Amino acid sequence: MLDFPRGAPHTSGMAPRIRLLSETTANRIAAGEVVERPAAAVKELVENALDAGATRISVTLEDGGIGRILVEDDGHGMDAADLSLAMDRHATSKLAEEAMLFRIATLGFRGEALPSIGAVSRLTLTSRTAGAAAHAIQVEGGRKGDVAPAAGAPGTRVEVRDLFFATPARRAFLRSPRHEAEQAVEAVRRLAMAWPEVAFRVEVEGRVALSLPPADRAARIAGLLGPDFAAAAVPVEASRDGASLSGLAGLPTHHHATSAAQHLVVNRRPVRDPLLRTALRVAYRDLVPAKRFPAAALFLEVPPETVDVNVHPMKSELRFRNAEAVRGLMISALRRAVAVGAPGAAPDDLGAGAFAAPPGFAEAAPPGIFPGWRPPSGPLPQRPRGPSLPLGFAAAPLPAPLPDFPQDGPLGRPLGQILETYVLAEAADGSLVLVDQHAAHERLTHEALRAQLVEGGVRAQPLLLPAVVEMPAADAARLLDQVAALARLGLEIEGFGPGAVLVRAMPALLGAPDPAPLLRDLAEELAEMDEALALEARLDAAVARLACHGSIRAGRRLGSAEMAALLRQMEATPRAATCSHGRPTVLRFGKAELERLFGRR
């Protein structure tokens, strides 16, 4: 039995007849898809200006863009005939033939923006081509007026007043003018990132909210994301199968509460594509804490015929012909860039500025805080003699006096241990350094395991007595499906009846941890992974889990030699400022921070 909502009673008798909607009603429905808020209107109008070859674009907002939007540009402009056609739906200069729909090289192509905006507002469009007179046309609630002579500079001027006056229900769902203005400014910011050679200016209620002169890409990134991002980012350059990726990726120690600092541009189109955002998240999955977001300005160029931009009303999501190739390119390029870093610069987490206390507690470390030292950009250094710190450290203290690990270094000399969890050290400049021993050792173990994996496989240590680990049958089956991959990780297992796994070998680097919690965690990790995730990414996630189980724990008392060994190996290990889960391993308090804490400044 059908249940009709209140206010919409069922009419018995004759069924309702299908009727053709009026042009005005159809336009207003279409406008609801294209123009959901002032920011959407601003985005469409600025995209039109960019497609028209503008080099300067000015946006003015009043009442959050609800009362008035004014977009002015110095582009090619339109003559009187084109001005009238521009206000008709599906009239565009950007698609000369149907085949061009499958290799779109412009931001707009549907011919819907201007008529959609005009359907729900009072719009005045004024335009002038070079060497000709200006003309204007007015549209109110979808009703188009006549083209008339007007005054105006070369280019186009679009004024939108009383947005959604014709659809008050849509207007009721808008938020405060301030919030709507912020969204509109953000839309312009994202377009400005993709078009650095164009000057942008945005005024909100008479105040300049954005002013960007023409610039190169590096200067535009710094202008939008700030000089701090540029100083805490590494360049990304990679190409594969006709696709190329470039830009800047933020270091893992500089993360944010939202994804607002993530700028993704495809063929000069800013997007929020789920595939690309997932690839970015996966690339940082063991470097950034949960529910935190790395900053990035990434520019992907692909042949236009290999990407479909006509899959979302706002054109913010895409469909790639070879999605896995694009995803793999992003993940591998970002991981390589963050791990290696820029030549001649601190490439990773341990670079200048990395050893900072939390925001509001201590400021970032200035450049050169550890003179004469830079983190390694290659594989872990091999020591000719003496124990490597991860080996056996999880189970027993290192032998003293460990001559290969000097007491002093860029991270300082150990002073002692606090709460049997944190190593306290003093750097050469007098800075106070605090190291979380479990988090730091987890990163060291992770990188050592990863290095062995890259060389062909993690070295296994057979158990004297094979261990039987019981678990839910589904978890056991999941692990047994990955026997070959786990063997590469130094874990040799086989089935031992329903709901049980027999463990014959463990990774030698881990010492002698209990295999039961490790295997159960690995089973859960596999259950949460995307089946389409590349084997390399799955193995790296498993390595992170192994590292966690094979690291020294909080509450373990360390001797002076062990603390010195931990600090020295941190200095020799890439990405050592965060653990495998993205949490910080080290904090640094300089003279200024200490004086501030004690009220001396």
Side-chain angles (χ1 to χ4, degrees), residues 1 30 68-69 86 105 127 181 184 209 255 258-259 269 276 278 321 336 348 380 492 499 509 523 529 563 579 601:
M1 181 176 179
R68 180 174 182 251
I69 299 171
S127 194
H255 44 74
T258 71
S259 60
R269 181 190 303 278
L276 303 182
T278 299
R321 179 181 298 173
R336 185 166 56 250
D348 204 337
L380 294 178
E492 297 179 9
L509 273 174
M529 284 182 187
M563 290 187 284
C579 73
R601 62 160 61 186

Side-chain angles (χ1 to χ4, degrees), residues 15-343:
R17 303 298 300 273
I18 295 176
R19 294 186 296 272
L20 188 66
L21 295 175
S22 69
E23 183 178 355
T24 299
T25 302
N27 285 343
R28 289 176 181 175
I29 291 173
E33 295 182 351
V34 179
V35 189
E36 60 179 354
R37 65 193 321 162
V42 170
K43 170 183 173 292
E44 295 289 345
L45 295 176
V46 172
E47 285 182 349
N48 279 349
L50 291 168
D51 283 339
T55 61
R56 294 191 308 275
I57 299 174
S58 172
V59 179
T60 302
L61 302 173
E62 295 179 7
D63 194 23
I66 305 167
R68 180 174 182 251
I69 299 171
L70 175 64
V71 177
E72 300 173 287
D73 69 67
D74 63 349
H76 303 316
M78 293 175 281
D79 59 21
D82 282 351
L83 204 61
S84 180
L85 275 175
M87 298 310 305
D88 292 337
R89 291 189 66 202
H90 307 307
T92 179
S93 63
K94 301 163 189 177
L95 289 179
E97 57 184 2
E98 182 181 352
M100 293 180 65
L101 188 61
F102 304 102
R103 54 175 189 273
I104 293 171
T106 55
L107 295 173
F109 54 88
R110 294 175 181 148
E112 289 185 321
L114 286 172
S116 293
I117 297 170
V120 294
S121 70
R122 297 180 173 92
L123 182 148
T124 302
L125 175 62
T126 306
S127 194
R128 174 185 166 189
T129 59
H135 291 80
I137 187 173
Q138 292 185 339
V139 180
E140 182 171 336
R143 293 185 293 273
K144 186 172 69 172
D146 296 328
V147 176
T156 300
R157 182 181 190 272
V158 185
E159 184 177 32
V160 180
R161 290 186 176 272
D162 299 327
L163 189 63
F164 300 127
F165 88 94
T167 53
R170 174 58 64 103
R171 189 164 184 163
F173 281 92
L174 296 179
R175 297 179 63 177
S176 68
R178 178 177 178 178
H179 178 82
E180 296 298 338
E182 289 173 353
Q183 296 299 308
V185 173
E186 180 63 19
V188 178
R189 283 169 53 86
R190 293 193 173 273
L191 284 163
M193 180 69 80
W195 296 80
E197 72 275 22
V198 177
F200 291 85
R201 180 182 175 87
V202 181
E203 289 189 12
V204 178
E205 313 300 342
R207 176 183 59 84
V208 176
L210 184 70
S211 181
L212 297 169
D216 58 22
R217 180 184 289 178
R220 179 57 57 86
I221 292 174
L224 288 170
L225 296 181
D228 290 345
F229 169 77
V234 290
V236 178
E237 291 286 344
S239 59
R240 182 191 302 172
D241 300 329
S244 63
L245 181 70
S246 60
L248 290 176
L251 293 176
T253 46
H254 290 69
H255 44 74
H256 302 261
T258 71
S259 60
Q262 294 179 355
H263 288 257
L264 303 174
V265 178
V266 178
N267 291 357
R268 309 207 74 180
R269 181 190 303 278
V271 298
R272 293 182 177 272
D273 185 69
L275 174 81
L276 303 182
R277 297 176 76 176
T278 299
L280 183 58
R281 176 177 57 81
V282 170
Y284 281 85
R285 65 174 293 162
D286 63 337
L287 301 174
V288 172
K291 299 182 181 180
R292 301 289 295 183
F293 300 84
L298 300 174
F299 303 83
L300 179 66
E301 293 291 331
V302 297
E305 64 272 14
T306 66
V307 59
D308 185 358
V309 302
N310 192 26
V311 297
H312 190 274
M314 299 300 296
K315 295 168 288 188
S316 59
E317 297 180 10
L318 311 172
R319 181 182 293 124
F320 294 95
R321 179 181 298 173
N322 193 344
E324 282 305 308
V326 171
R327 188 175 186 274
L329 172 65
M330 276 196 65
I331 293 174
S332 60
L334 286 168
R335 283 191 175 275
R336 185 166 56 250
V338 173
V340 176

